[in-house]
Amino acid sequence: MFNTFLTANWEYLVMANYEVDPVVLAPYLPNGVELDVYEGKAFVSLVGFMFKKTKLFGVSIPFFGSFEEINLRFYVKRKDGSKIKKGVVFINETVPFTLVALLANKLYKEHYISIPTRSSIKDEEAKRKIKYEWEKNGNWNYIVAETSKESEPMANNSIEEFIFEHYYGYTKVDSLNTIEYNVNHPRWRIRNVIDYSFDCDFKAMYGSDFSFLNEQKPNSVIAAEGSAVSIGWQRTYF
């Protein structure tokens, strides 16, 4: 019996975090979970990172081992007996390979799409520049962050801790059914974001519900080193 579906390295994470009215997220909230908030505020995050050394059930995937992912996600929690499980819900996940998108959508009922993507990671003497780009309707969207060269531990009760310390995925199958799966990785080290820029057509990418983000600046932009991760094969339906 398989215990682990996917292993990979998630590296060079950049996340732009936007405060949103909980009413916006209500239609996307899976049954059985509630919004998780930081200092009383609900957030969505525009995320870019690298998938590397990807394996399914321990087997490398030829030609598909390394690629960019860009996603839009928000944060939830679920009370399971005496345990509080903190997790994320994806509005959309973008990758360059149709096969990867089809597989994730089929097995985990996720919301992947496949469009052209590209990335650039450059280390300079005192900083690192990370850029993710994705093409939608003939236009290239992007998020760029310049970070410190050195990483440091996350501070307790920080926005970085809130954003990164969610270890479950929740998928809304329909109005009654939800899938839960576990994502395992160590506590990440972060890099200070010195500067950033971005150009994302939220309406084109994520629908009219999120078009207001075209005119809204992020509350924070954060970056993490990343690590090896694993996603469990076991999926809980409730």
Side-chain angles (χ1 to χ4, degrees):
M1 185 68 180
F2 294 109
N3 294 318
T4 300
F5 165 60
L6 178 144
T7 59
N9 283 12
W10 291 355
E11 299 179 358
Y12 310 117
L13 293 101
V14 176
M15 308 179 84
N17 308 304
Y18 298 82
E19 181 185 353
V20 297
D21 189 327
V23 172
V24 174
L25 300 176
Y28 302 91
L29 192 65
N31 187 43
V33 304
E34 60 183 282
L35 283 178
D36 196 10
V37 298
Y38 178 71
E39 297 182 344
K41 300 174 182 178
F43 288 91
V44 296
S45 297
L46 178 66
V47 183
F49 70 99
M50 290 299 302
F51 246 106
K52 292 188 173 184
K53 300 180 180 179
T54 308
K55 295 182 179 181
L56 296 180
F57 303 114
V59 179
S60 298
I61 313 171
F63 311 111
F64 301 108
S66 181
F67 53 90
E68 303 87 4
E69 177 174 321
I70 297 91
N71 65 60
L72 188 71
R73 71 185 205 175
F74 66 96
Y75 304 91
V76 299
K77 58 185 178 181
R78 177 191 177 211
K79 187 174 182 180
D80 186 5
S82 60
K83 184 177 183 180
I84 300 295
K85 296 179 175 179
K86 290 178 171 285
V88 301
V89 176
F90 293 100
I91 303 297
N92 170 279
E93 296 169 88
T94 297
V95 293
F97 300 128
T98 301
L99 178 62
V100 174
L102 290 173
L103 191 62
N105 292 342
K106 177 69 173 178
L107 294 179
Y108 283 87
K109 310 296 183 184
E110 286 289 8
H111 310 104
Y112 274 82
I113 62 170
S114 173
I115 59 177
T117 67
R118 61 194 184 197
S119 61
S120 174
I121 293 95
K122 295 181 179 179
D123 282 324
E124 300 177 2
E125 184 176 348
K127 62 185 179 181
R128 169 178 287 169
K129 186 174 183 179
I130 305 169
K131 184 175 186 178
Y132 294 105
E133 299 177 90
W134 58 103
E135 186 183 31
K136 183 70 172 179
N137 298 337
N139 297 313
W140 282 94
N141 301 255
Y142 66 83
I143 182 169
V144 181
E146 292 186 358
T147 74
S148 60
K149 193 72 176 290
E150 302 300 325
S151 63
E152 60 187 39
M154 277 188 282
N156 292 332
N157 303 313
S158 63
I159 184 63
E160 290 88 355
E161 182 181 63
F162 172 77
I163 295 296
F164 291 130
E165 295 286 280
H166 286 76
Y167 291 95
Y168 290 87
Y170 292 99
T171 306
K172 182 177 184 178
V173 179
D174 53 41
S175 61
L176 296 177
N177 298 290
T178 301
I179 293 177
E180 174 191 278
Y181 56 92
N182 189 210
V183 181
N184 301 291
H185 63 75
R187 185 178 173 93
W188 284 332
R189 295 178 63 85
I190 62 170
R191 287 175 179 259
N192 181 48
V193 175
I194 302 166
D195 196 9
Y196 68 87
S197 62
F198 61 92
D199 185 0
C200 177
D201 187 340
F202 283 93
K203 183 177 181 179
M205 281 296 301
Y206 307 115
S208 58
D209 286 348
F210 298 95
S211 61
F212 69 94
L213 294 177
N214 285 347
E215 310 302 325
Q216 184 172 323
K217 290 185 178 181
N219 292 59
S220 63
V221 177
I222 60 178
E225 290 283 90
S227 69
V229 301
S230 64
I231 297 177
W233 174 241
Q234 181 179 355
R235 292 157 288 173
T236 300
Y237 290 77
F238 60 90

